[in-house]
Amino acid sequence: NGRMGIVKGGAEMKIERTISVTADQATVRERAGSYFALSGYTRVGEEPHRLRFRRGSLFAFSPRGWKVEAVVEIAPGSGPATGAIVTFEVDTTGQYVINSERLFWQNEMNGLDQMVRTGTMAEKSGADLAMRAKSVVLGAIIAGLALALAFFVFHLLFRQG
């Protein structure tokens, strides 16, 4: 399964995993690229043995929207094996990272791991779905508050009498 670590430092959380797979480098590149494209990332760099992807912004309600840069270093292993060192550098500025959000990033890494190994996308976990629901609820609350504030200001400015 490879090794994985989460390091929290400053306003960044760095998650790293080493994946060893019995596939050639071209297959690992293709599968990693497919995973990131299907997960909403944009490819921002490509070198012979390195791929870079980005997703998110500084203003997000859930970890799925947080600004993240993913780097995949691809190297030949022994025999038919290929190794990939994957690093997620997650910008956590203004965030208090809780366990469910750490779990989201572990699940994100697990999904990439499965895609690189098997060529198939993992089903979304309950934690990911819960995180999306939380994001939708927070967005609806903020939209409702903005609408109420707009109505209040309109009422103050244009009330009769």
Side-chain angles (χ1 to χ4, degrees):
N1 191 357
R3 69 179 174 84
M4 178 169 165
I6 297 177
V7 178
K8 178 82 170 87
E12 181 179 280
M13 180 170 53
K14 188 174 186 176
I15 306 162
E16 186 176 278
R17 182 179 291 183
T18 301
I19 304 169
S20 296
V21 61
T22 306
D24 61 27
Q25 292 180 44
T27 300
V28 171
R29 288 175 68 84
E30 177 197 333
R31 289 176 177 177
S34 293
Y35 175 82
F36 285 112
L38 290 169
S39 297
Y41 287 78
T42 302
R43 188 178 302 219
V44 295
E46 185 169 354
E47 299 167 26
H49 299 288
R50 173 185 251 200
L51 302 171
R52 289 185 325 123
F53 302 88
R54 282 197 190 117
R55 181 178 74 191
S57 70
L58 291 176
F59 306 102
F61 299 112
S62 75
R64 183 165 186 73
W66 293 355
K67 186 175 180 181
V68 59
E69 181 165 315
V71 177
V72 181
E73 300 276 350
I74 302 169
S78 59
T82 299
I85 299 173
V86 182
T87 306
F88 289 165
E89 294 181 3
V90 184
D91 188 332
T92 57
T93 302
Q95 304 292 341
Y96 178 76
V97 182
I98 59 176
N99 285 337
S100 63
E101 293 162 339
R102 284 186 193 87
L103 179 61
F104 171 86
W105 292 107
Q106 288 175 350
N107 288 336
E108 187 95 336
M109 190 66 82
N110 291 343
L112 173 63
D113 191 301
Q114 178 175 331
M115 179 65 125
V116 168
R117 288 177 189 283
T118 68
T120 61
M121 203 66 173
E123 291 290 322
K124 293 297 178 185
S125 71
D128 186 41
L129 296 174
M131 199 60 65
R132 286 186 187 198
K134 175 183 160 188
S135 180
V136 168
V137 169
L138 286 173
I141 290 170
I142 289 173
L145 290 173
L147 186 61
L149 179 61
F151 179 75
F152 179 72
V153 169
F154 180 81
H155 179 73
L156 286 177
L157 293 175
F158 298 104
R159 70 179 178 198
Q160 300 295 329

